[in-house]
Amino acid sequence: MPERSGIQSARNTNAAILVNLDFGDGMSNERLQELQQLAVSDQISVQFVVEGKRVCPDPKTYVGSGKVAEIQQLLASSTANMVIFNHDLSPAQQRNLMLQLDCPVIDRTSLILDIFAQRAKSHEGKLQVELAQLEHLATRLVRGWTHLERQKGGIGLRGPGETQLETDRRLLKKRVKLLKEKLVGLERQRKVQRRSRKRSKILSISIVGYTNAGKSTLFNRLTRSQTYAADQLFATLDTTTRKLFIPECGSVVISDTVGFIRELPHTLVAAFRATLEETVEADILLHVVDTCSPNKEEQIDEVNKLLTEIGADKIPQILVFNKTDLCDSSAKGIGFMRDEYDRISRIRLSAKTGEGLGFIRQALSEVLLEESESVNGKQTDCIRMKRGSAVV
């Protein structure tokens, strides 16, 4: 296993300085809040926050010499022993910053990878995280060590640095290949299980949404399970699947999946593709949204972008606006709305208190009855009898 993004070396004090630059997109404050939540989720205390405005990143240090000097002063006057950037740094930028600041420098991707490494519990989850870490490390070996490339040149001219670099590359490539082979095997097992469910015509539902929207709490409420749920980013990494019985309609299979986040590292999306297959193969998505979040519309868009990236954008969605119990009086109500096809498309509820959960079951029962109608070719009044007139 590789070192966890350089963070383990600074685990003694867990103190960091956060760096967040505003490039004029209007989302700087929201991005900084999210970085602070990520730091807390990784058990890191934040001592200082360095902010600034730029038109574009500095090619050498991302922030420029003035900000580097400011960070140096803060490091000297505090017990912080690491710097976390709310941006993705190039290998050269990361190396330059570490040399000037004389401490570990972590970018956003490395921080998320470290959180995933701590939270993964299943065998498959651990394999996926290790693969993502190694693929991220590979870019640092290839691009972060170009000064050693100059030592290549034939017999008698190869230095020990070049030899070690080639060894590291070969071992890393070998491990990546092994991990990918293992994950392919696990993916085959999932496909067999999904084929079995499809043959038995069991409806498959996947719970998706932005991280910390309350997906696991909703999953536990619906299935009476005890999967881990907490008020933190990426509390759930491993997909959990359970059967859910809908009265008068039968059983469905429902899965709790990893939460999405803005600018989720592509290495993680690729590594977790096997797990996300549950989402791609689902018949319907319950898209959980934190009703109280001031950025909920942007979070919905980010989730939809990632669904498009994995090929799940055509699957029907039901938007589930959760945490109504935490909102002010103007947004506390529970209920549902229908779309132009008279299907339930939006639900307001509180997974924590259980208020409004009946609307989820009603929506799923209507889907099941519609599926039954289309398969059997029979007309029924069941759907109309079961439908209420609740309004969000």
Side-chain angles (χ1 to χ4, degrees):
M1 283 284 291
E3 287 188 15
R4 291 232 299 263
S5 310
I7 294 180
Q8 284 291 6
S9 61
R11 276 283 181 232
N12 293 333
T13 60
N14 298 326
I17 294 172
L18 305 186
V19 180
N20 182 66
L21 296 187
D22 181 1
F23 293 104
D25 61 359
M27 297 297 297
S28 180
N29 290 335
E30 290 77 7
R31 291 174 191 273
L32 177 58
Q33 290 174 10
E34 198 165 82
L35 178 65
Q36 291 171 324
Q37 288 180 300
L38 286 169
V40 170
S41 294
D42 204 27
Q43 302 171 24
I44 297 170
S45 66
V46 178
Q47 293 205 354
F48 296 101
V49 175
V50 175
E51 295 185 84
K53 291 185 178 182
R54 289 187 68 92
V55 176
C56 61
D58 181 83
K60 290 185 178 180
T61 60
Y62 201 91
V63 292
S65 57
K67 286 296 175 185
V68 170
E70 182 181 341
I71 296 168
Q72 285 174 325
Q73 291 178 356
L74 292 174
L75 284 168
S77 63
S78 69
T79 58
N81 59 354
M82 62 193 305
V83 178
I84 302 176
F85 277 69
N86 197 19
H87 313 276
D88 285 335
L89 301 173
S90 71
Q93 288 168 338
Q94 188 174 18
R95 187 179 70 249
N96 292 337
L97 286 164
M98 289 176 68
L99 289 172
Q100 292 188 44
L101 299 176
D102 193 27
C103 74
V105 175
I106 313 302
D107 65 3
R108 179 185 170 85
T109 295
S110 299
L111 179 62
I112 293 175
L113 285 171
D114 193 66
I115 295 171
F116 272 52
Q118 293 183 68
R119 301 278 166 76
K121 302 299 179 186
S122 70
H123 175 61
E124 184 175 13
K126 290 176 180 178
L127 290 178
Q128 290 167 331
V129 171
E130 185 182 354
L131 176 60
Q133 285 181 311
L134 290 174
E135 290 186 329
H136 183 63
L137 178 63
T139 64
R140 268 58 191 161
L141 279 176
V142 174
R143 299 185 191 134
W145 298 84
T146 52
H147 60 293
L148 295 179
E149 296 292 337
R150 302 192 193 110
Q151 296 184 31
K152 291 183 179 179
I155 297 173
L157 296 177
R158 294 188 181 96
E162 189 273 335
T163 303
Q164 184 61 53
L165 178 59
E166 288 300 315
T167 301
D168 290 345
R169 282 175 176 163
R170 187 175 65 255
L171 292 175
L172 188 147
K173 189 175 181 180
K174 185 177 179 181
R175 181 63 180 168
V176 166
K177 182 181 177 183
L178 177 64
L179 290 172
K180 285 183 175 179
E181 288 173 352
K182 288 183 177 180
L183 287 171
V184 166
L186 291 170
E187 187 175 353
R188 287 198 196 101
Q189 293 178 18
R190 286 183 178 275
K191 285 182 177 178
V192 171
Q193 294 168 352
R194 283 195 291 268
R195 279 200 298 267
S196 176
R197 291 202 298 263
K198 285 186 180 297
R199 281 196 295 268
S200 58
K201 296 183 174 63
I202 297 178
L203 194 74
S204 176
I205 298 142
S206 187
I207 300 177
V208 300
Y210 210 75
T211 183
N212 204 30
K215 298 180 298 300
S216 295
T217 303
L218 177 63
F219 179 82
N220 287 339
R221 275 283 184 178
L222 288 171
T223 62
R224 297 178 182 176
S225 301
Q226 297 295 323
T227 59
Y228 181 69
D231 184 16
Q232 57 186 204
L233 303 188
F234 300 120
T236 300
L237 288 186
D238 302 307
T239 297
T240 307
T241 302
R242 297 283 187 274
K243 272 193 175 182
L244 174 64
F245 181 74
I246 306 294
E248 302 176 16
C249 295
S251 295
V252 298
V253 171
I254 187 166
S255 300
D256 183 23
T257 60
V258 61
F260 296 158
I261 195 170
R262 181 191 299 111
E263 298 169 11
L264 188 66
H266 289 289
T267 49
L268 273 178
V269 175
F272 274 75
R273 193 166 293 277
T275 299
L276 294 172
E277 284 291 327
E278 288 292 338
T279 299
V280 177
E281 298 292 332
D283 296 301
I284 191 164
L285 303 178
L286 295 180
H287 182 164
V288 182
V289 182
D290 182 352
T291 311
C292 303
S293 172
N295 310 312
K296 57 180 175 288
E297 293 301 328
E298 190 219 3
Q299 291 175 358
I300 291 172
D301 291 341
E302 289 294 333
V303 171
N304 286 332
K305 284 179 187 176
L306 280 163
L307 289 174
T308 300
E309 187 174 342
I310 65 174
D313 52 314
K314 304 298 183 184
I315 301 173
Q317 285 188 25
I318 297 175
L319 279 172
V320 180
F321 289 90
N322 187 28
K323 302 188 182 182
T324 57
D325 57 304
L326 301 178
C327 298
D328 56 35
S329 57
S330 63
K332 271 188 175 295
I334 62 170
F336 64 82
M337 287 181 64
R338 294 186 181 277
D339 59 19
E340 64 270 25
Y341 303 106
D342 204 27
R343 299 187 183 103
I344 294 177
S345 59
R346 293 184 174 225
I347 297 172
R348 293 176 62 86
L349 54 74
S350 168
K352 184 177 181 180
T353 65
E355 290 184 286
L357 283 181
F359 299 136
I360 295 276
R361 294 188 176 89
Q362 180 177 343
L364 295 179
S365 68
E366 290 180 9
V367 172
L368 279 168
L369 288 168
E370 285 188 8
E371 288 286 325
S372 178
E373 278 189 349
S374 64
V375 170
N376 299 321
K378 297 177 181 179
Q379 296 297 319
T380 179
D381 292 326
C382 291
I383 297 176
R384 296 189 201 92
M385 291 170 61
K386 292 180 73 67
R387 287 180 175 171
S389 57
V391 178
V392 178

